[in-house]
Amino acid sequence: MADVGTSKASSPRRLSSATDSISSQSQKTIRPFELSSESTPLLLRRDENLYGTHSIRSSSVSQRSTSDSTRSSHKTKERTRLPTCISLTVLIASTLGILIFIFAAPVIVKRYAEEAAVFEPRDLSVESSTPEGIRARVQGEFTLDSSRVASRHVRVLGQFATWIAREVETGQSEVQVYLPEYGDLLIGIASLPSIKISIRDGHVNCLDFLADLAVGDVGGIRSVANDWLEGRIEHLRLRGTTTTHLKSGLLSLGMQTLSDTLTFEEKDFPALPEINITKAIAYDDNSSSQAAAVAVEVSITALFDSPFTVTIPPLGFDVLVPNCLPGDPYILVAVARTGEVEVRPRSPTNVDSYGIIKKIPNELITACPGQKSSPLDILVKNYINGLRTTIYIRGADAPSPDTPAWIVELLKSVTVPLPFMGHALDNLVKNFSMSDVNLSLPDPMAEPGTPEAQPKISALVKALIKLPEQMNFKLDVPRVRAMADVFYHDKKLGFLDLYQWLPANTTLVEDSDSLPALSVGFRMQDAPLQVTDENTLAEIIQTLILGKKAVRLRVVAAVDAEVSNRLGTFTLRKVPAEGSLSVKGK
């Protein structure tokens, strides 16, 4: 028991000593756990400190807390720094990428834009003419279509660059258009306004702007126009060049030089329109300004192969007709003018013109070298036989001071052929008859081949000439002559050669349809009949002598008529006429 008491007395001191030792060395070395001895109390309170366990655990927990707090602080800083570094890296990479595309890849982007660009014009109209050219309104849709780019590398880089830029704005610029085949002939300069467009792939930009187009070298353009009219151009290249300032948002892309070339084949050139004459009338001009003239009004309808709407100002023209030979200069016959004309795509265009014929040129009515026909004869013959007839139009002084001088200068050296179909006038001479006919038989004692050996015909010839509805002026036929074939029962008897001019009388009458006509009469006296079939002549004589009845002969003639009007006198040759005559024997 004494031992026990001793143990009880000494135990607190030992525990207190141990605790102090552990407390003082808690930061150094922790004593190992010791097994209990016989003096150790059997029961311990939970709040008692056994061998410094609580202090050790508290110190350990404190150390761990401090360590964990330090690590947590480091991790928090690391987590904060990592997104920042990533963001900075992406920003720097994006900036470098933009700089690369701006400075290192313009060629690729330019190639992408050239191949992907699609412009579909919706309407192109000429708002007005200017002293230097015209002012045009352009409406259309612009798109970048990446599917048109052949190279995948260019397509991807181009899509990325345009996705970054999104929009591009051009400054005011001028586009020069040249013809390389004609020594880089400058044909025009287009002044374009500032245009802002979206360059995202597939985005449709609706454009509507005004552009001033100035004419370049007028003399060179005339040469090109003449080559086209004469069919000497198989293909034509146009090269457009411009230098413009580009920017995307606040980022300036600097001055950029753009150039492109278009090639037009012969099939791409506009064709000359088919002309449909809807009205043509000629009448005596009784205005005081023209003492002796014939006025002509012509209305035509044509479908011009024009891709745009244009208003043509009043123009003046010279009207010419072909000469004897293709290489001879054309013959001026009239001057004409037109009013304002509006041309619309895919719509018929009506053109009204008014012309004046002041005189009949001598070269028009003079026989061609080695021929009996004149240029007028050829023209009239083609027309009345329904053949293709061509006249020529050449620019002249404009009737209005508002017409720009550059248009007048350009048109003065351009001659445009206007082909049209004639109107068959087979019944121009509606009635060709002979009355008071007398057939004189040949002298049987005359030598063959002499005039006395030929029959002779005397008659009063009358012809009713139908006047075309387009002619509403006075005409007179003072003289006629003819060459006529004579038939009996569809067998040619011979021909009448009225080579000498015979005086004629002309009267303006109305035909059976109450339309104006010209009645021409002349007397044929003892005209020799050149017999080509003696058997037919014998049959006719036998019928006249034995049958004692009239013989009907058919006459097919080509009549030359000398025509006179207020412009002068000219000859219409080989006007077809057909009729019959009844011959009675004496």
Side-chain angles (χ1 to χ4, degrees), residues 76-285:
T76 301
K77 291 180 180 178
E78 290 176 0
R79 290 194 191 99
T80 304
R81 290 173 182 172
L82 185 58
T84 303
C85 292
I86 293 174
S87 299
L88 288 174
T89 303
V90 172
L91 179 60
I92 293 173
S94 300
T95 304
L96 290 175
I98 293 173
L99 292 175
I100 289 172
F101 273 101
I102 292 175
F103 298 105
V107 176
I108 295 178
V109 177
K110 183 178 179 181
R111 178 180 170 187
Y112 171 82
E114 290 176 349
E115 295 186 17
V118 178
F119 180 72
E120 295 184 1
R122 297 302 181 193
D123 188 22
L124 179 61
S125 59
V126 176
E127 295 290 306
S128 61
S129 56
T130 64
E132 296 80 20
I134 59 175
R135 173 165 293 177
R137 184 177 184 180
V138 182
Q139 294 175 305
E141 296 178 353
F142 178 82
T143 310
L144 285 181
D145 183 4
S146 61
S147 63
R148 295 166 54 91
V149 181
S151 172
R152 181 177 179 276
H153 174 67
V154 174
R155 182 169 60 252
V156 172
L157 292 179
Q159 286 176 315
F160 180 65
T162 54
W163 178 80
I164 292 175
R166 298 192 178 187
E167 285 186 346
V168 168
E169 183 177 358
T170 67
Q172 294 183 353
S173 59
E174 289 187 347
V175 180
Q176 293 83 24
V177 182
Y178 301 92
L179 295 179
E181 280 84 1
Y182 286 82
D184 275 342
L185 171 70
L186 178 64
I187 64 172
I189 300 174
S191 298
L192 304 180
S194 176
I195 301 174
K196 180 186 289 187
I197 58 175
S198 172
I199 55 175
R200 290 181 179 180
D201 183 24
H203 181 83
V204 178
N205 299 272
C206 295
L207 303 181
D208 187 351
F209 59 90
L210 293 175
D212 289 329
L213 308 178
V215 179
D217 187 346
V218 176
I221 296 175
R222 286 198 298 260
S223 300
V224 177
N226 288 326
D227 288 347
W228 168 62
L229 291 172
E230 296 175 10
R232 293 197 295 261
I233 299 179
E234 296 182 356
H235 68 275
L236 193 66
R237 285 191 303 141
L238 272 72
R239 180 171 59 84
T241 302
T242 183
T243 299
T244 184
H245 180 268
L246 297 180
K247 69 175 183 178
S248 179
L250 298 177
L251 182 62
S252 175
L253 303 180
M255 300 299 293
Q256 302 291 330
T257 299
L258 307 176
S259 180
D260 197 8
T261 301
L262 296 177
T263 301
F264 296 92
E265 301 295 336
E266 187 176 4
K267 59 183 178 61
D268 300 325
F269 299 152
L272 289 176
E274 291 291 334
I275 303 298
N276 180 24
I277 300 178
T278 57
K279 184 187 79 171
I281 183 172
Y283 54 90
D284 289 329
D285 184 21

Side-chain angles (χ1 to χ4, degrees), residues 113 132 351 400 449 466:
E132 296 80 20
V351 181
S400 172
K466 177 184 177 182

Side-chain angles (χ1 to χ4, degrees), residues 75 443 480 491 510 534 565:
K75 290 180 179 179
D443 184 357
V480 295
K491 293 181 290 185
E510 289 186 354
E534 297 291 342
N565 64 2

